Amino acid sequence: MDEITERIKSPTPKFFKKIRTIGLTLGAIGGALLAAPIALPATVTTIAGYLATAGIVASAISSVTKEDKP
């Protein structure tokens, strides 16, 4: 458990910061489409679910990456 905490607290590499931002954006778009107050076609709802899931996973994985020190 200490290793996970250490990874989360360590600095994130620049590339993975970009991936995290993209993931958060995709998750927000997917969440907004899923929570839309109007009826959307089933295809749009399915794609929104995939966007939200992919965004959350990308953000979570990129948050726990850290730079290896040689």
Side-chain angles (χ1 to χ4, degrees):
M1 191 71 170
D2 286 337
E3 185 178 334
I4 294 172
T5 306
E6 180 183 327
R7 290 182 75 85
I8 292 172
K9 290 181 179 180
S10 66
T12 304
K14 187 176 179 180
F15 172 75
F16 287 103
K17 286 182 182 180
K18 290 180 184 179
I19 297 294
R20 183 176 55 202
T21 303
I22 292 169
L24 289 172
T25 303
L26 288 175
I29 291 170
L33 288 173
L34 289 171
I38 59 172
L40 296 172
T43 306
V44 174
T45 305
T46 302
I47 292 172
Y50 289 139
L51 280 176
T53 303
I56 291 168
V57 169
S59 297
I61 291 173
S62 64
S63 293
V64 294
T65 57
K66 68 176 189 175
E67 292 185 40
D68 288 332
K69 295 180 182 178

